[in-house]
Each structure stands twice: as structure tokens, then as C-alpha cells.
Amino acid sequence: QVRLVESGGGSVQAGGSLRLSCAASGHFADNKCMGWFRQAPGKEREGVNYIYIGSQPESKDSVDSVKGRFTISQENFGNTVYLQMSGLKPEDTGMYYCAALIDGGTFCRNAYCCRLMMARSESNYWGQGTQVTVSS
């Protein structure tokens, strides 16, 4: 079982920055897929940034809406995963969740694969979420 705990959310003005952290504990396979998702009020949860950590070189992927503004990183083989957010916009407002692919070690060797495999909510472990609010 894997436990994920997010922190670092808050309220900022448009153009500001925040760094989210995700502390991961529990048993992981040698290859790991982790990611950040968000859910705005009245909308479905969407993936934002992904990272592959394991036997192949680390790789990252992100959705177009955050490219150049959000960066995912990790320490200690994914025991801590960060989401550095800059140039925040009001449309970035939402609950942000850290996720880890339950079976990442079996299939994925890059972040694009992680992105595809993590698209199904039931494929992931989830944290409790941290709120990000961006005012205009």
C-alpha cells in the first residue's frame, strides 16, 4: 500500500507562484509513475504533470495548458514529488492531487506511458488533495 500526502497549496494572485509537495510512503516497484492532477469546481479531474522514475532515464510529461509554467520534480526515488507552479492563472484554481500508478513497475519506462496508464482513476493511489486558489 502507498500513502501520498500533499502540502503547499494556498491562495495567490494571478502571475504568482506556488510549490506543491507530495510525500510518498509505502512499497514501490523498481519503476514508478507519479503525477499531479487537478480538479476545478464543477469539472472533471485532469492530469497536469507526470514523471517516470526507475531503471530508464527519468522523464517528464505535461499537458499543453501548463507547459512552460509548471514543472514536476522529485527527490529520493519519488519519496517526495514537487510541482513548481509559476505564472499562475485564475483557471489554475482547483484541488490538486498527487497520484502514483499502482502498477507502474510492470508497464512503463517513460512519462508518456505513465500519462496514458494513469488516465484511469482506479489505476492510481491518490492523496487527499491540496487547494490552490488564484485570484485575478
Side-chain angles (χ1 to χ4, degrees):
Q1 189 70 17
V2 169
R3 184 168 181 254
L4 305 172
V5 180
E6 303 96 333
S7 60
S11 297
V12 296
Q13 291 191 328
S17 299
L18 281 174
R19 189 175 82 157
L20 307 182
S21 298
C22 172
S25 60
H27 175 70
F28 280 102
D30 291 340
N31 295 282
K32 183 186 299 184
C33 286
M34 299 188 73
W36 286 96
F37 290 69
R38 66 185 180 188
Q39 187 167 21
K43 294 187 177 181
E44 292 187 356
R45 187 159 52 187
E46 63 170 351
V48 178
N49 289 76
Y50 306 85
I51 188 167
Y52 162 80
I53 310 154
S55 60
Q56 298 301 309
E58 180 180 292
S59 69
K60 305 175 183 180
D61 195 11
S62 62
V63 297
D64 288 345
S65 60
V66 304
K67 283 188 187 298
R69 300 189 300 122
F70 291 12
T71 301
I72 190 171
S73 62
Q74 62 88 19
E75 290 181 343
N76 195 18
F77 193 65
N79 282 348
T80 306
V81 178
Y82 302 100
L83 185 66
Q84 179 66 49
M85 304 184 293
S86 60
L88 282 161
K89 305 175 182 179
E91 52 263 42
D92 294 319
T93 293
M95 187 69 78
Y96 282 69
Y97 298 91
C98 178
L101 186 64
I102 293 172
D103 205 13
T106 302
F107 296 108
C108 288
R109 296 295 182 266
N110 60 64
Y112 181 69
C113 174
C114 296
R115 179 175 176 173
L116 296 177
M117 296 296 292
M118 296 180 79
R120 296 175 68 238
S121 177
E122 58 269 32
S123 298
N124 305 322
Y125 297 109
W126 294 96
Q128 83 288 348
T130 186
Q131 178 68 36
V132 172
T133 302
V134 185
S135 58
S136 56

